[in-house]
Amino acid sequence: PYLYKLYQHYRFLEGQIAILYVCGFASGVLFGPVAVSLVDRLGRRKSCVFFSLSYSVCCLTKLSRDYLVLAVGRALGGLAEWVPATFSRAAFWNNVIAVGAGVVANAFAEWLGLGPVAPFMVSIPLLVLAGVLAMKDWDENYGKKRALSKTCTDGLRCLLSDRRVLLLGTIQALFESVIYIFIFLWTPVLDPHGPPLGIVFSSFMAASMVGSSLYRVAISKRYHLQPI
């Protein structure tokens, strides 16, 4: 919730902030196929540790006011976002944790008056703890080792061979682009009115949690509503 606020605090212009956001989104796209193969080759446990380290470095770069360092941090964040996506079968609990994270971020940034960089620093010990627990308690497991070129070629072939897949991908891309625009704009739109940004973020996550829960109820055996 405090990413835009932090860049604004460092007195970057809106156009410069937009470029930093794009760096994160673009690195997520570019590193996506690489990250999938990386997880299969490294194993799930090492990949979780790698995520913890890379995102911790991403958070540490927020201490710098240097534009290039911040851009590198966004690129690292884009790479790190792809790794936990391979584990994401827990959307409900992700939202629960996000609600709590928003409140904690608000407490450190605004209630304690430590500023917009504080939530990023507070997250580092938790990221390190996640990596330590993975190393300590997880058994390693690997996926199928596939050549990156073959993975990309097969995916492109599938995309172009079926018009429905291409249409679905296009719709998903348009939907995601709207979400990214929303992510970029909500802070500068609301901030002049002085709301607690962490609490606003928690409200968004709570709404998302309610939506995913209602969806699961709707398609359950009791109600038999179809996704279409």
Side-chain angles (χ1 to χ4, degrees):
Y2 288 93
L3 185 61
Y4 190 102
K5 182 78 172 178
L6 178 65
Y7 295 148
Q8 197 175 48
H9 178 71
Y10 288 161
R11 306 207 179 278
F12 290 115
L13 301 175
E14 185 177 44
Q16 293 173 308
I17 297 173
I19 292 172
L20 289 173
Y21 269 74
V22 169
C23 285
F25 299 148
S27 68
V29 172
L30 294 174
F31 288 133
V34 178
V36 172
S37 297
L38 188 68
V39 169
D40 288 338
R41 291 175 181 276
L42 282 180
R44 272 61 170 180
R45 185 175 69 170
K46 291 189 188 74
S47 297
C48 186
V49 174
F50 173 71
F51 156 72
S52 300
L53 291 174
S54 59
Y55 221 100
S56 294
V57 174
C58 171
C59 290
L60 283 173
T61 62
K62 302 295 188 292
L63 290 169
S64 174
R65 294 173 179 263
D66 186 275
Y67 193 76
L68 182 58
V69 172
L70 292 171
V72 170
R74 284 293 292 161
L76 282 172
L79 170 61
E81 282 166 16
W82 269 98
V83 179
T86 62
F87 308 160
S88 62
R89 300 186 65 183
F92 176 84
W93 288 107
N94 284 342
N95 284 323
V96 170
I97 293 170
V99 170
V103 175
V104 171
N106 198 90
F108 278 89
E110 299 190 29
W111 298 341
L112 295 178
L114 299 177
V117 76
F120 297 97
M121 298 304 104
V122 171
S123 69
I124 293 174
L126 298 175
L127 288 164
V128 172
L129 178 62
V132 169
L133 289 176
M135 285 295 292
K136 180 175 177 290
D137 297 334
W138 289 16
D139 294 324
E140 190 60 280
N141 64 90
Y142 300 89
K144 294 180 180 179
K145 293 185 178 180
R146 300 162 291 182
L148 178 60
S149 57
K150 187 177 187 305
T151 301
C152 294
T153 303
D154 290 346
L156 185 61
R157 187 181 298 115
C158 177
L159 188 68
L160 297 177
S161 63
D162 190 332
R163 189 171 65 88
R164 294 172 302 172
V165 177
L166 183 61
L167 180 61
L168 183 63
T170 302
I171 292 170
Q172 179 70 15
L174 291 171
F175 172 77
E176 291 289 342
S177 69
V178 172
I179 293 297
Y180 288 151
I181 292 170
F182 172 80
I183 289 170
F184 175 71
L185 287 177
W186 77 266
T187 303
V189 168
L190 295 181
D191 197 38
H193 304 285
L197 298 179
I199 303 302
V200 173
F201 176 81
S202 293
S203 301
F204 290 152
M205 295 299 100
S208 177
M209 181 172 63
V210 170
S212 64
S213 300
L214 289 175
Y215 176 79
R216 281 198 297 275
V217 171
I219 64 172
S220 65
K221 292 181 179 179
R222 180 176 179 180
Y223 294 101
H224 295 292
L225 296 180
Q226 296 300 310
I228 56 174

